[in-house]
Protein backbone atom coordinates (compact mmCIF):
# COMPACT_ATOMS: atom_id res chain seq x y z
CA UNK A 1 0.00 0.00 0.00
CA UNK A 2 1.30 3.46 -0.87
CA UNK A 3 2.60 5.60 1.98
CA UNK A 4 0.37 8.46 3.16
CA UNK A 5 1.92 11.17 5.33
CA UNK A 6 -0.06 12.00 8.47
CA UNK A 7 -0.79 15.73 8.73
CA UNK A 8 0.09 17.92 11.72
CA UNK A 9 -2.53 18.22 14.44
CA UNK A 10 -3.27 20.69 17.21
CA UNK A 11 -4.18 20.06 20.83
CA UNK A 12 -5.59 22.47 23.38
CA UNK A 13 -3.84 25.68 22.44
CA UNK A 14 -3.75 26.94 26.01
CA UNK A 15 -2.61 23.74 27.69
CA UNK A 16 0.05 23.12 25.03
CA UNK A 17 1.50 26.65 25.18
CA UNK A 18 4.39 26.69 27.62
CA UNK A 19 5.19 30.34 26.89
CA UNK A 20 1.69 31.67 27.54
CA UNK A 21 1.11 29.59 30.67
CA UNK A 22 4.40 30.59 32.29
CA UNK A 23 3.97 34.27 31.49
CA UNK A 24 0.44 34.33 32.88
CA UNK A 25 1.57 32.58 36.06
CA UNK A 26 4.27 35.20 36.62
CA UNK A 27 2.07 38.15 35.68
CA UNK A 28 -1.29 37.23 37.24
CA UNK A 29 -0.11 35.08 40.13
CA UNK A 30 -1.31 31.57 40.85
CA UNK A 31 -4.62 32.48 42.51
CA UNK A 32 -5.85 34.88 39.81
CA UNK A 33 -4.70 32.49 37.10
CA UNK A 34 -6.60 29.63 38.73
CA UNK A 35 -9.80 31.70 38.56
CA UNK A 36 -9.51 32.44 34.84
CA UNK A 37 -7.92 29.16 33.73
CA UNK A 38 -11.26 27.51 32.82
CA UNK A 39 -12.01 30.27 30.31
CA UNK A 40 -8.51 30.04 28.84
CA UNK A 41 -8.75 26.25 28.58
CA UNK A 42 -12.18 26.54 26.93
CA UNK A 43 -10.84 28.93 24.33
CA UNK A 44 -7.72 26.80 23.84
CA UNK A 45 -9.86 23.72 23.19
CA UNK A 46 -11.99 25.59 20.63
CA UNK A 47 -8.93 27.05 18.90
CA UNK A 48 -7.15 23.72 18.51
CA UNK A 49 -10.28 21.71 17.88
CA UNK A 50 -13.62 22.76 16.40
CA UNK A 51 -12.57 26.16 15.09
CA UNK A 52 -9.40 24.89 13.45
CA UNK A 53 -11.32 22.03 11.81
CA UNK A 54 -13.97 24.44 10.54
CA UNK A 55 -11.28 26.82 9.26
CA UNK A 56 -9.71 24.05 7.18
CA UNK A 57 -13.12 22.89 5.90
CA UNK A 58 -13.99 26.44 4.78
CA UNK A 59 -10.62 27.16 3.23
CA UNK A 60 -12.09 28.12 -0.15
CA UNK A 61 -15.03 30.17 1.14
CA UNK A 62 -14.85 33.97 0.97
CA UNK A 63 -17.30 36.79 1.74
CA UNK A 64 -19.53 37.84 -1.12
CA UNK A 65 -20.97 41.24 -2.01
CA UNK A 66 -24.61 41.14 -3.09
CA UNK A 67 -25.31 44.57 -4.55
CA UNK A 68 -28.86 44.04 -5.85
CA UNK A 69 -31.83 41.97 -4.78
CA UNK A 70 -34.05 40.01 -7.18
CA UNK A 71 -36.29 43.06 -7.77
CA UNK A 72 -33.58 45.52 -8.63
CA UNK A 73 -33.20 47.24 -5.27
CA UNK A 74 -29.69 48.23 -4.16
CA UNK A 75 -28.96 46.22 -1.00
CA UNK A 76 -25.14 46.05 -0.81
CA UNK A 77 -25.30 43.08 1.55
CA UNK A 78 -22.15 41.25 2.64
CA UNK A 79 -22.56 37.50 2.99
CA UNK A 80 -19.99 36.36 5.54
CA UNK A 81 -18.47 32.91 5.89
CA UNK A 82 -19.98 30.56 8.51
CA UNK A 83 -16.78 30.70 10.56
CA UNK A 84 -16.93 34.49 10.73
CA UNK A 85 -20.54 34.35 11.92
CA UNK A 86 -19.54 31.82 14.57
CA UNK A 87 -16.52 33.90 15.57
CA UNK A 88 -18.76 36.91 16.22
CA UNK A 89 -20.91 34.83 18.56
CA UNK A 90 -17.89 33.50 20.47
CA UNK A 91 -16.27 36.93 20.69
CA UNK A 92 -19.38 38.40 22.28
CA UNK A 93 -19.99 35.54 24.74
CA UNK A 94 -16.35 35.37 25.83
CA UNK A 95 -16.19 39.15 26.33
CA UNK A 96 -13.32 39.86 23.96
CA UNK A 97 -14.38 43.52 23.87
CA UNK A 98 -16.23 43.62 27.18
CA UNK A 99 -13.41 42.46 29.46
CA UNK A 100 -11.38 45.69 29.77
CA UNK A 101 -14.62 47.58 30.52
CA UNK A 102 -15.84 45.02 33.07
CA UNK A 103 -12.30 44.98 34.55
CA UNK A 104 -12.56 41.72 36.55
CA UNK A 105 -8.80 41.80 37.15
CA UNK A 106 -8.41 45.56 37.47
CA UNK A 107 -5.34 46.82 35.61
CA UNK A 108 -4.59 43.24 34.52
CA UNK A 109 -7.92 42.78 32.72
CA UNK A 110 -6.22 43.61 29.42
CA UNK A 111 -3.90 40.68 30.08
CA UNK A 112 -6.81 38.24 30.26
CA UNK A 113 -8.49 39.82 27.23
CA UNK A 114 -5.45 39.59 25.00
CA UNK A 115 -4.52 36.09 26.20
CA UNK A 116 -7.94 35.01 24.93
CA UNK A 117 -7.50 37.00 21.71
CA UNK A 118 -4.11 35.33 21.18
CA UNK A 119 -5.75 31.89 21.40
CA UNK A 120 -8.81 32.86 19.34
CA UNK A 121 -7.22 34.73 16.43
CA UNK A 122 -5.33 32.08 14.37
CA UNK A 123 -8.41 29.84 14.13
CA UNK A 124 -10.96 32.50 13.15
CA UNK A 125 -9.77 33.83 9.78
CA UNK A 126 -8.66 37.27 11.05
CA UNK A 127 -11.94 38.06 12.79
CA UNK A 128 -9.61 39.98 15.10
CA UNK A 129 -9.77 42.77 12.50
CA UNK A 130 -13.30 44.04 13.32
CA UNK A 131 -12.73 43.25 16.99
CA UNK A 132 -9.63 45.45 17.09
CA UNK A 133 -11.48 48.41 15.63
CA UNK A 134 -14.45 47.78 17.92
CA UNK A 135 -12.16 47.78 20.95
CA UNK A 136 -10.66 51.09 19.84
CA UNK A 137 -14.09 52.55 19.12
CA UNK A 138 -15.42 51.50 22.53
CA UNK A 139 -12.52 53.12 24.35
CA UNK A 140 -12.78 56.28 22.21
CA UNK A 141 -16.53 56.68 22.74
CA UNK A 142 -16.27 55.93 26.46
CA UNK A 143 -13.73 58.76 26.84
CA UNK A 144 -15.51 61.20 24.49
CA UNK A 145 -18.07 62.64 26.89
CA UNK A 146 -20.67 62.35 24.10
CA UNK A 147 -23.69 61.13 26.08
CA UNK A 148 -25.75 60.19 23.01
CA UNK A 149 -23.04 57.87 21.69
CA UNK A 150 -22.15 56.55 25.13
CA UNK A 151 -25.77 55.53 25.61
CA UNK A 152 -26.41 54.19 22.10
CA UNK A 153 -23.19 52.62 20.81
CA UNK A 154 -21.06 51.74 23.82
CA UNK A 155 -23.45 49.19 25.40
CA UNK A 156 -23.64 47.37 22.07
CA UNK A 157 -19.88 47.33 21.53
CA UNK A 158 -19.25 45.82 24.97
CA UNK A 159 -22.28 43.51 25.05
CA UNK A 160 -21.88 39.79 25.75
CA UNK A 161 -25.21 39.08 24.06
CA UNK A 162 -24.59 38.12 20.41
CA UNK A 163 -28.02 39.49 19.47
CA UNK A 164 -27.04 42.94 20.81
CA UNK A 165 -23.31 42.91 20.03
CA UNK A 166 -21.97 45.42 17.49
CA UNK A 167 -18.63 45.71 15.80
CA UNK A 168 -17.15 48.90 14.38
CA UNK A 169 -15.25 49.87 11.28
CA UNK A 170 -12.53 52.50 11.11
CA UNK A 171 -12.66 54.38 7.82
CA UNK A 172 -9.65 56.54 7.11
CA UNK A 173 -7.91 55.54 3.89
CA UNK A 174 -8.83 57.41 0.70
CA UNK A 175 -7.42 57.25 -2.84
CA UNK A 176 -5.40 60.43 -2.31
CA UNK A 177 -3.81 59.40 0.97
CA UNK A 178 -2.95 56.18 2.76
CA UNK A 179 -0.90 56.89 5.86
CA UNK A 180 -1.07 60.61 5.05
CA UNK A 181 -4.68 60.85 6.23
CA UNK A 182 -4.47 64.64 6.44
CA UNK A 183 -5.09 64.69 2.67
CA UNK A 184 -8.58 63.19 3.12
CA UNK A 185 -11.20 64.65 0.80
CA UNK A 186 -14.40 63.35 2.44
CA UNK A 187 -16.59 66.34 3.23
CA UNK A 188 -18.96 66.80 6.16
CA UNK A 189 -21.88 69.13 5.44
CA UNK A 190 -24.28 70.45 8.05
CA UNK A 191 -27.90 71.19 7.21
CA UNK A 192 -30.25 72.64 9.85
CA UNK A 193 -32.93 70.11 10.64
CA UNK A 194 -30.96 67.23 9.09
CA UNK A 195 -27.64 67.40 10.92
CA UNK A 196 -24.33 66.27 9.50
CA UNK A 197 -23.97 64.22 6.32
CA UNK A 198 -20.79 62.81 4.77
CA UNK A 199 -19.83 62.81 1.10
CA UNK A 200 -16.76 61.20 -0.41
CA UNK A 201 -14.96 57.98 -1.14
CA UNK A 202 -13.26 55.59 1.24
CA UNK A 203 -10.80 53.37 -0.58
CA UNK A 204 -9.88 50.67 1.95
CA UNK A 205 -12.46 49.92 4.63
CA UNK A 206 -12.04 46.65 6.48
CA UNK A 207 -14.91 44.87 8.21
CA UNK A 208 -17.56 46.60 6.12
CA UNK A 209 -20.18 44.26 7.63
CA UNK A 210 -19.95 46.12 10.95
CA UNK A 211 -22.99 48.00 12.22
CA UNK A 212 -21.11 51.28 12.81
CA UNK A 213 -17.88 53.06 12.02
CA UNK A 214 -15.69 55.89 13.16
CA UNK A 215 -14.41 57.91 10.24
CA UNK A 216 -12.66 61.14 9.36
CA UNK A 217 -14.23 63.91 7.29
CA UNK A 218 -13.57 67.60 6.77
CA UNK A 219 -16.39 69.94 7.79
CA UNK A 220 -17.14 72.51 5.09
CA UNK A 221 -14.73 75.47 5.22
CA UNK A 222 -12.34 73.71 7.65
CA UNK A 223 -8.64 74.17 6.83
CA UNK A 224 -6.59 71.48 5.04
CA UNK A 225 -4.47 68.92 6.86
CA UNK A 226 -5.15 66.71 9.83
CA UNK A 227 -6.27 69.56 12.09
CA UNK A 228 -9.10 70.35 9.70
CA UNK A 229 -10.52 66.85 9.88
CA UNK A 230 -13.10 65.77 12.44
CA UNK A 231 -13.97 62.31 13.72
CA UNK A 232 -17.55 61.23 13.05
CA UNK A 233 -19.73 58.33 14.15
CA UNK A 234 -22.05 56.70 11.63
CA UNK A 235 -24.23 53.62 11.31
CA UNK A 236 -23.96 51.57 8.16
CA UNK A 237 -27.66 50.62 7.90
CA UNK A 238 -30.85 52.59 8.45
CA UNK A 239 -33.78 51.49 10.61
CA UNK A 240 -35.09 49.25 7.79
CA UNK A 241 -31.70 47.58 7.32
CA UNK A 242 -30.92 49.33 4.03
CA UNK A 243 -27.52 50.86 3.21
CA UNK A 244 -27.42 54.20 5.01
CA UNK A 245 -26.76 56.43 1.99
CA UNK A 246 -23.58 54.58 1.12
CA UNK A 247 -22.63 52.29 -1.74
CA UNK A 248 -20.31 49.33 -1.44
CA UNK A 249 -18.59 49.67 -4.82
CA UNK A 250 -16.59 46.46 -4.64
CA UNK A 251 -14.69 44.13 -2.32
CA UNK A 252 -10.91 44.21 -2.49
CA UNK A 253 -9.08 41.29 -4.11
CA UNK A 254 -6.25 40.89 -1.60
CA UNK A 255 -3.14 38.74 -1.23
CA UNK A 256 -4.24 37.57 2.21
CA UNK A 257 -6.89 38.19 4.88
CA UNK A 258 -9.31 37.15 2.15
CA UNK A 259 -12.00 36.25 4.69
CA UNK A 260 -12.09 39.89 5.84
CA UNK A 261 -14.61 41.84 3.72
CA UNK A 262 -12.61 44.91 2.77
CA UNK A 263 -14.44 47.37 0.54
CA UNK A 264 -14.33 50.55 -1.49
CA UNK A 265 -17.20 52.83 -0.47
CA UNK A 266 -18.94 55.90 -1.81
CA UNK A 267 -20.60 58.07 0.83
CA UNK A 268 -23.68 59.80 -0.58
CA UNK A 269 -24.83 61.87 2.35
CA UNK A 270 -24.38 59.34 5.16
CA UNK A 271 -25.95 60.67 8.40
CA UNK A 272 -23.18 61.18 10.95
CA UNK A 273 -22.56 62.58 14.42
CA UNK A 274 -19.37 64.37 15.48
CA UNK A 275 -17.80 62.37 18.29
CA UNK A 276 -16.23 65.45 19.84
CA UNK A 277 -14.85 68.72 18.41
CA UNK A 278 -15.09 69.68 14.74
CA UNK A 279 -11.35 69.46 14.17
CA UNK A 280 -8.15 67.66 15.17
CA UNK A 281 -9.62 64.43 13.86
CA UNK A 282 -6.31 62.65 13.36
CA UNK A 283 -5.44 63.24 17.01
CA UNK A 284 -8.95 62.24 18.06
CA UNK A 285 -8.80 58.88 16.29
CA UNK A 286 -5.33 58.09 17.67
CA UNK A 287 -6.87 56.09 20.55
CA UNK A 288 -8.36 53.72 18.00
CA UNK A 289 -5.02 53.50 16.19
CA UNK A 290 -3.03 52.75 19.31
CA UNK A 291 -5.38 50.00 20.45
CA UNK A 292 -5.55 48.41 17.00
CA UNK A 293 -1.76 48.43 16.87
CA UNK A 294 -1.68 46.38 20.05
CA UNK A 295 -4.20 43.97 18.48
CA UNK A 296 -1.96 43.80 15.42
CA UNK A 297 1.04 42.81 17.53
CA UNK A 298 -0.94 40.19 19.48
CA UNK A 299 -2.26 38.77 16.20
CA UNK A 300 1.23 38.66 14.68
CA UNK A 301 2.53 36.75 17.70
CA UNK A 302 -0.45 34.39 17.65
CA UNK A 303 0.20 33.52 14.02
CA UNK A 304 3.84 32.73 14.79
CA UNK A 305 2.70 30.46 17.60
CA UNK A 306 0.22 28.68 15.31
CA UNK A 307 2.80 28.07 12.60
CA UNK A 308 5.33 26.75 15.09
CA UNK A 309 2.78 24.50 16.81
CA UNK A 310 2.06 22.86 13.46
CA UNK A 311 5.74 22.70 12.47
CA UNK A 312 6.83 21.12 15.77
CA UNK A 313 4.08 18.51 15.55
CA UNK A 314 4.90 17.74 11.91
CA UNK A 315 8.58 17.31 12.81
CA UNK A 316 7.61 14.38 15.05
CA UNK A 317 5.54 12.75 12.27
CA UNK A 318 7.66 13.24 9.17
CA UNK A 319 10.44 10.67 8.75
CA UNK A 320 13.26 11.46 6.35
CA UNK A 321 16.65 9.80 5.94
CA UNK A 322 15.86 7.28 8.63
CA UNK A 323 14.56 9.44 11.49
CA UNK A 324 11.85 11.96 12.38
CA UNK A 325 12.73 15.54 11.45
CA UNK A 326 12.61 16.45 15.13
CA UNK A 327 15.74 14.29 15.64
CA UNK A 328 17.63 15.88 12.75
CA UNK A 329 20.10 18.40 14.16
CA UNK A 330 19.72 20.95 11.35
CA UNK A 331 15.91 20.87 11.37
CA UNK A 332 15.82 21.12 15.16
CA UNK A 333 18.23 24.04 15.05
CA UNK A 334 16.08 25.84 12.48
CA UNK A 335 12.93 25.47 14.57
CA UNK A 336 14.84 26.57 17.68
CA UNK A 337 15.79 29.85 16.03
CA UNK A 338 12.17 30.47 15.03
CA UNK A 339 10.96 29.60 18.53
CA UNK A 340 13.35 32.14 20.02
CA UNK A 341 12.01 34.88 17.72
CA UNK A 342 8.45 33.98 18.70
CA UNK A 343 9.19 33.96 22.44
CA UNK A 344 10.89 37.34 22.25
CA UNK A 345 7.97 38.77 20.25
CA UNK A 346 5.53 37.38 22.81
CA UNK A 347 7.35 39.03 25.73
CA UNK A 348 7.51 42.41 23.97
CA UNK A 349 3.85 42.36 22.94
CA UNK A 350 2.40 41.29 26.26
CA UNK A 351 4.54 43.82 28.11
CA UNK A 352 2.81 46.49 26.02
CA UNK A 353 -0.53 44.84 26.90
CA UNK A 354 0.37 45.24 30.59
CA UNK A 355 1.27 48.89 30.08
CA UNK A 356 -1.98 49.54 28.23
CA UNK A 357 -4.03 48.07 31.05
CA UNK A 358 -2.18 50.12 33.63
CA UNK A 359 -2.56 53.34 31.64
CA UNK A 360 -6.29 52.86 31.09
CA UNK A 361 -7.01 52.23 34.77
CA UNK A 362 -4.87 55.07 36.10
CA UNK A 363 -2.27 52.70 37.54
CA UNK A 364 0.57 53.96 35.32
CA UNK A 365 2.72 56.91 36.25
CA UNK A 366 4.01 59.45 33.72
CA UNK A 367 7.08 57.35 32.93
CA UNK A 368 5.02 54.25 32.14
CA UNK A 369 2.61 56.27 30.01
CA UNK A 370 5.57 57.65 28.05
CA UNK A 371 6.91 54.12 27.72
CA UNK A 372 3.55 52.94 26.35
CA UNK A 373 3.60 55.70 23.73
CA UNK A 374 7.08 54.65 22.64
CA UNK A 375 6.63 50.88 22.69
CA UNK A 376 3.21 50.67 21.01
CA UNK A 377 4.55 51.47 17.52
CA UNK A 378 7.79 49.63 18.30
CA UNK A 379 5.96 46.41 19.21
CA UNK A 380 3.71 46.64 16.20
CA UNK A 381 6.53 47.11 13.67
CA UNK A 382 8.89 44.60 15.31
CA UNK A 383 6.38 41.76 15.57
CA UNK A 384 4.92 42.43 12.13
CA UNK A 385 8.26 41.83 10.49
CA UNK A 386 9.05 38.86 12.73
CA UNK A 387 5.76 37.19 11.87
CA UNK A 388 6.35 37.28 8.12
CA UNK A 389 9.92 36.01 8.49
CA UNK A 390 9.01 33.23 10.92
CA UNK A 391 6.03 32.00 8.90
CA UNK A 392 8.02 31.97 5.68
CA UNK A 393 10.48 29.63 7.42
CA UNK A 394 7.61 27.60 8.88
CA UNK A 395 6.28 26.88 5.39
CA UNK A 396 9.74 25.80 4.31
CA UNK A 397 9.87 23.42 7.30
CA UNK A 398 7.05 21.44 5.65
CA UNK A 399 8.86 21.15 2.34
CA UNK A 400 6.48 20.96 -0.62
CA UNK A 401 3.44 20.55 1.64
CA UNK A 402 4.00 24.10 2.89
CA UNK A 403 3.36 25.36 -0.63
CA UNK A 404 0.14 23.41 -1.21
CA UNK A 405 -3.10 25.30 -0.63
CA UNK A 406 -5.25 22.48 0.71
CA UNK A 407 -2.89 21.90 3.64
CA UNK A 408 -4.06 25.28 4.95
CA UNK A 409 -0.45 26.34 5.48
CA UNK A 410 0.02 29.00 2.76
CA UNK A 411 -2.85 30.99 4.30
CA UNK A 412 -0.71 31.61 7.38
CA UNK A 413 1.95 33.44 5.41
CA UNK A 414 -0.50 35.33 3.20
CA UNK A 415 -2.44 36.55 6.18
CA UNK A 416 0.71 37.44 8.12
CA UNK A 417 1.81 39.81 5.37
CA UNK A 418 -0.87 42.23 6.55
CA UNK A 419 0.77 42.70 9.95
CA UNK A 420 3.61 44.98 8.75
CA UNK A 421 1.12 46.96 6.59
CA UNK A 422 -2.17 47.44 8.44
CA UNK A 423 -2.28 50.44 10.81
CA UNK A 424 1.00 51.79 9.48
CA UNK A 425 3.89 50.30 7.56
CA UNK A 426 7.25 49.72 9.20
CA UNK A 427 8.53 53.06 7.93
CA UNK A 428 5.46 54.98 9.11
CA UNK A 429 5.65 53.33 12.53
CA UNK A 430 9.37 54.10 12.74
CA UNK A 431 8.66 57.80 12.26
CA UNK A 432 5.84 57.56 14.80
CA UNK A 433 8.37 56.12 17.24
CA UNK A 434 10.58 59.17 16.82
CA UNK A 435 7.58 61.44 17.43
CA UNK A 436 6.61 59.46 20.53
CA UNK A 437 10.14 59.82 21.91
CA UNK A 438 10.39 63.56 21.28
CA UNK A 439 8.53 64.84 24.41
CA UNK A 440 10.47 62.88 27.03
CA UNK A 441 13.45 61.45 25.17
CA UNK A 442 14.62 57.87 25.67
CA UNK A 443 15.01 58.19 29.44
CA UNK A 444 11.80 56.28 30.35
CA UNK A 445 12.79 53.42 28.06
CA UNK A 446 16.39 53.40 29.23
CA UNK A 447 15.39 53.27 32.90
CA UNK A 448 12.92 50.45 32.24
CA UNK A 449 15.48 48.36 30.38
CA UNK A 450 17.95 48.81 33.23
CA UNK A 451 15.32 47.80 35.82
CA UNK A 452 14.27 44.73 33.84
CA UNK A 453 17.83 43.54 33.35
CA UNK A 454 18.60 44.05 37.04
CA UNK A 455 16.43 40.97 37.71
CA UNK A 456 18.78 38.66 35.80
CA UNK A 457 21.18 36.74 38.04
CA UNK A 458 22.08 33.50 36.25
CA UNK A 459 25.62 33.82 34.80
CA UNK A 460 24.71 33.44 31.12
CA UNK A 461 21.78 35.82 31.52
CA UNK A 462 24.06 38.31 33.24
CA UNK A 463 26.40 38.18 30.26
CA UNK A 464 23.47 38.74 27.92
CA UNK A 465 22.29 41.63 30.09
CA UNK A 466 25.65 43.36 29.73
CA UNK A 467 25.39 43.14 25.94
CA UNK A 468 21.84 44.48 26.02
CA UNK A 469 22.86 47.40 28.23
CA UNK A 470 25.56 48.23 25.70
CA UNK A 471 23.05 48.06 22.83
CA UNK A 472 20.66 50.32 24.74
CA UNK A 473 23.46 52.82 25.34
CA UNK A 474 24.32 52.72 21.63
CA UNK A 475 20.71 53.47 20.69
CA UNK A 476 20.60 56.35 23.14
CA UNK A 477 23.87 57.73 21.78
CA UNK A 478 22.71 57.42 18.16
CA UNK A 479 19.55 59.36 18.91
CA UNK A 480 21.46 62.07 20.79
CA UNK A 481 23.95 62.40 17.94
CA UNK A 482 21.26 62.90 15.29
CA UNK A 483 18.09 64.36 16.81
CA UNK A 484 17.93 68.05 15.98
CA UNK A 485 21.26 67.91 14.16
CA UNK A 486 21.16 65.46 11.28
CA UNK A 487 17.48 65.14 10.41
CA UNK A 488 18.13 63.31 7.13
CA UNK A 489 20.33 60.76 8.93
CA UNK A 490 17.74 60.46 11.70
CA UNK A 491 14.93 59.74 9.26
CA UNK A 492 17.02 57.36 7.14
CA UNK A 493 17.97 55.35 10.22
CA UNK A 494 14.55 55.46 11.90
CA UNK A 495 13.65 51.90 10.92
CA UNK A 496 16.94 50.43 12.20
CA UNK A 497 16.60 52.52 15.36
CA UNK A 498 13.01 51.41 16.06
CA UNK A 499 13.84 47.76 15.39
CA UNK A 500 16.83 48.04 17.73
CA UNK A 501 14.53 49.36 20.48
CA UNK A 502 12.16 46.48 19.80
CA UNK A 503 14.77 43.76 19.83
CA UNK A 504 16.60 45.12 22.89
CA UNK A 505 13.32 45.38 24.80
CA UNK A 506 12.20 41.91 23.72
CA UNK A 507 15.53 40.36 24.70
CA UNK A 508 15.53 42.08 28.09
CA UNK A 509 12.00 40.90 28.85
CA UNK A 510 12.87 37.40 27.70
CA UNK A 511 15.89 37.39 30.02
CA UNK A 512 13.67 38.43 32.94
CA UNK A 513 11.16 35.68 32.16
CA UNK A 514 14.02 33.20 31.84
CA UNK A 515 15.31 34.08 35.33
CA UNK A 516 11.82 33.70 36.80
CA UNK A 517 11.27 30.37 35.04
CA UNK A 518 14.56 29.00 36.34
CA UNK A 519 13.60 29.91 39.89
CA UNK A 520 9.90 29.09 39.94
CA UNK A 521 9.38 26.39 37.31
CA UNK A 522 12.84 24.80 37.02
CA UNK A 523 12.43 25.41 33.29
CA UNK A 524 15.53 26.28 31.29
CA UNK A 525 13.77 26.63 27.92
CA UNK A 526 13.20 30.43 28.29
CA UNK A 527 16.90 30.86 29.05
CA UNK A 528 17.74 28.99 25.85
CA UNK A 529 15.34 31.25 23.96
CA UNK A 530 16.87 34.39 25.47
CA UNK A 531 20.42 33.33 24.63
CA UNK A 532 19.47 32.24 21.11
CA UNK A 533 17.56 35.46 20.42
CA UNK A 534 20.40 37.56 21.80
CA UNK A 535 22.89 35.75 19.60
CA UNK A 536 20.79 36.56 16.51
CA UNK A 537 21.55 40.26 16.99
CA UNK A 538 19.70 43.12 18.62
CA UNK A 539 21.61 46.27 17.59
CA UNK A 540 20.78 47.14 13.97
CA UNK A 541 22.24 50.65 14.08
CA UNK A 542 25.34 50.14 11.99
CA UNK A 543 25.95 53.31 9.95
CA UNK A 544 25.31 53.42 6.22
CA UNK A 545 26.77 56.04 3.93
CA UNK A 546 23.79 58.25 2.87
CA UNK A 547 25.39 58.70 -0.55
CA UNK A 548 25.32 54.95 -1.15
CA UNK A 549 21.69 54.76 -0.09
CA UNK A 550 20.85 57.55 -2.49
CA UNK A 551 22.52 55.73 -5.36
CA UNK A 552 20.75 52.48 -4.59
CA UNK A 553 17.31 54.07 -4.31
CA UNK A 554 17.59 56.13 -7.50
Amino acid sequence: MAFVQSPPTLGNQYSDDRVLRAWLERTLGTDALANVRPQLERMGALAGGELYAQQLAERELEPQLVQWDAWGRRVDRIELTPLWRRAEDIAAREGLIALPHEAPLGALSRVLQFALVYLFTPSTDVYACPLAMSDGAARTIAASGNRALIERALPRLVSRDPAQFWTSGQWMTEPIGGSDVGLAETEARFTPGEGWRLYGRKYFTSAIASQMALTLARPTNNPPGGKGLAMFYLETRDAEGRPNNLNVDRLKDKLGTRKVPTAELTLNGVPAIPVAELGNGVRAISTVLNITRVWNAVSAVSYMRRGLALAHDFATRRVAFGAPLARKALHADTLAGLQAEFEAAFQLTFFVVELLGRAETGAAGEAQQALLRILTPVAKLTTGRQSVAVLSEVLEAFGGAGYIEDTGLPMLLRDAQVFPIWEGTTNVLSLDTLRAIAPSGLAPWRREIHAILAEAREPQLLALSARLEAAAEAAEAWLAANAGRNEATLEAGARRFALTLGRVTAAALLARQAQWSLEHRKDSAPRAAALRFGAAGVNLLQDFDPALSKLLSA
Side-chain angles (χ1 to χ4, degrees), residues 28-303:
L28 297 180
T30 54
D31 291 342
L33 179 57
N35 289 333
V36 300
R37 185 180 291 116
Q39 186 177 11
L40 292 163
E41 290 178 340
R42 181 170 67 246
M43 185 67 83
L46 277 171
E50 294 177 21
L51 292 178
Y52 180 56
Q54 185 174 354
Q55 184 181 51
L56 292 177
E58 294 181 15
R59 184 182 57 79
E60 295 183 327
L61 297 183
E62 294 185 9
Q64 300 296 317
L65 168 61
V66 179
Q67 291 182 303
W68 308 93
D69 72 6
W71 302 99
R73 287 172 294 196
R74 186 78 185 250
V75 293
D76 284 353
R77 184 178 68 251
I78 308 296
E79 295 185 348
L80 301 172
T81 64
L83 180 56
W84 256 54
R85 293 196 296 271
R86 185 178 182 187
E88 181 176 53
D89 184 275
I90 293 169
R93 294 184 189 280
E94 297 293 339
L96 297 190
I97 305 302
L99 275 166
H101 297 268
E102 297 168 350
L105 299 179
L108 292 174
S109 298
R110 281 285 188 188
V111 168
L112 174 58
Q113 176 204 23
F114 278 114
L116 292 166
V117 168
Y118 163 88
L119 296 169
F120 169 88
T121 294
S123 293
T124 49
D125 286 341
V126 202
Y127 191 75
C129 174
L131 293 180
M133 293 181 286
S134 304
D135 193 352
R139 184 59 62 183
T140 298
I141 290 171
S144 70
N146 188 318
R147 292 311 313 172
L149 298 185
I150 290 171
E151 292 171 6
R152 176 163 177 77
L154 185 59
R156 291 169 167 83
L157 290 168
V158 302
S159 176
R160 284 180 178 258
D161 179 358
Q164 299 295 319
F165 181 60
W166 277 11
T167 58
S168 176
Q170 172 198 322
W171 301 351
M172 293 169 56
T173 305
E174 300 187 10
I176 194 173
S179 297
D180 190 358
V181 295
L183 296 174
E185 296 177 327
T186 299
E187 184 180 3
R189 304 175 193 168
F190 182 80
T191 303
E194 289 190 11
W196 289 94
R197 291 184 178 269
L198 308 185
Y199 299 84
R201 190 177 178 209
K202 296 298 183 180
Y203 195 62
F204 204 96
T205 59
S206 290
I208 184 55
S210 293
Q211 293 87 350
M212 59 160 284
L214 297 182
T215 189
L216 297 180
R218 196 178 311 279
T220 305
N221 299 323
N222 265 26
K227 290 184 177 180
L229 294 170
M231 180 170 60
F232 286 86
Y233 163 92
L234 61 85
E235 295 178 11
T236 57
R237 300 272 161 177
D238 64 17
E240 284 72 44
R242 297 169 302 195
N244 209 357
N245 288 7
L246 62 86
N247 291 340
V248 181
D249 299 324
R250 64 171 175 167
L251 296 184
K252 294 287 194 180
D253 187 8
K254 298 170 293 179
L255 169 70
T257 65
R258 298 185 67 89
K259 307 305 179 82
V260 181
T262 303
E264 295 178 23
L265 304 178
T266 300
L267 312 184
N268 300 310
V270 179
I273 300 171
V275 178
E277 63 177 311
L278 292 174
N280 294 307
V282 175
R283 184 178 67 189
I285 210 166
S286 63
T287 297
V288 182
L289 286 172
N290 287 330
I291 288 176
T292 54
R293 286 171 175 176
V294 176
W295 277 78
N296 193 98
V298 172
S299 299
V301 172
S302 77
Y303 263 63

Side-chain angles (χ1 to χ4, degrees), residues 13 21 34 36 60 68 108 117 154 158 182 238 249 303 316 321 325 347 371 420 433 462 464 480 507 530 540:
Q13 290 301 281
R21 288 187 292 104
V36 300
E60 295 183 327
W68 308 93
L108 292 174
V117 168
L154 185 59
V158 302
D238 64 17
D249 299 324
Y303 263 63
T316 67
F321 304 105
L325 292 176
Q347 297 295 329
L371 191 61
T433 300
L462 279 173
L464 173 61
L540 307 183

